Amino acid sequence: MAPAARATIHVEIHGVDLPGRSCGPRPGGGTYEDIHVGLKRGNDTIELVAGDAPDATWQMDVTVRETDAGRDFGGPFISGHRDDRHLGLRWLGRGPAGSAEVFRGAKLRMIDVEPTLVDQALATGRMLVGTVVLTDEHGWPRCARVRPPAIGWSIDRS
């Protein structure tokens, strides 16, 4: 088998409609306070943005590999098994003792991105942009697999 062809695309996640700085309920009662959202990188959460910010933006590079089994994604910001590769956002709040704790996470699955958009990003070098609504239908921080209309993917035209 020949080695897989590799290329890099530039990705931007633009979060809108953040939920605020507190959220409940916590397990056992109470609320999460001083909420922030950040980008998952391995076991870390980086580039934290306050939950009441007007918006949030993260940029990263993602490796795209063309293999005999199809397209695959990699890099330090990609998590999951081959059929569930995704970018992750994590929600942190202050626990009762004052320490930061992760209480929710959101998956932005690469398989949900239209392949033609990835093709355009590869061909033009333009950024692939995911715009995600960060407040769910209950007014809480969005979590789990994020699907349209809560996320839309496009190519940056600037």
Side-chain angles (χ1 to χ4, degrees):
M1 179 195 318
R6 294 176 185 253
T8 299
I9 59 172
H10 307 291
V11 178
E12 177 177 284
I13 303 302
H14 182 81
V16 298
D17 190 24
L18 280 78
R21 292 292 283 266
S22 64
C23 165
R26 293 177 57 81
T31 60
Y32 293 98
E33 299 296 334
D34 196 25
I35 292 174
H36 286 70
V37 61
L39 182 64
K40 181 181 183 295
R41 181 179 178 162
N43 293 324
D44 297 322
T45 306
I46 63 170
E47 299 182 34
L48 294 174
V49 176
D52 61 354
D55 62 1
T57 301
W58 301 274
Q59 292 183 357
M60 76 286 314
D61 288 338
V62 172
T63 302
V64 181
R65 291 182 298 263
E66 301 292 345
T67 71
D68 291 340
R71 188 170 274 165
D72 194 13
F73 299 91
F77 297 97
I78 295 290
S79 298
H81 297 288
R82 190 175 192 307
D83 62 347
D84 188 34
R85 300 276 197 239
H86 61 274
L87 296 166
L89 298 177
R90 287 183 173 160
W91 293 95
L92 288 81
R94 295 278 168 224
S99 61
E101 59 184 61
V102 174
F103 69 95
R104 281 190 164 188
K107 282 184 177 184
L108 313 177
R109 293 186 67 210
M110 298 306 294
I111 197 168
D112 293 339
V113 179
E114 281 292 323
T116 56
L117 292 175
V118 175
D119 293 342
Q120 287 177 36
L122 288 167
T124 65
R126 290 189 173 145
M127 193 167 306
L128 175 67
V129 179
T131 301
V132 59
V133 178
L134 293 176
T135 299
D136 73 10
E137 297 74 24
H138 305 286
W140 299 341
R142 184 163 307 280
C143 66
R145 181 178 179 182
V146 181
R147 300 171 189 254
I151 189 167
W153 292 95
S154 63
I155 296 295
D156 179 42
R157 299 293 177 199
S158 56

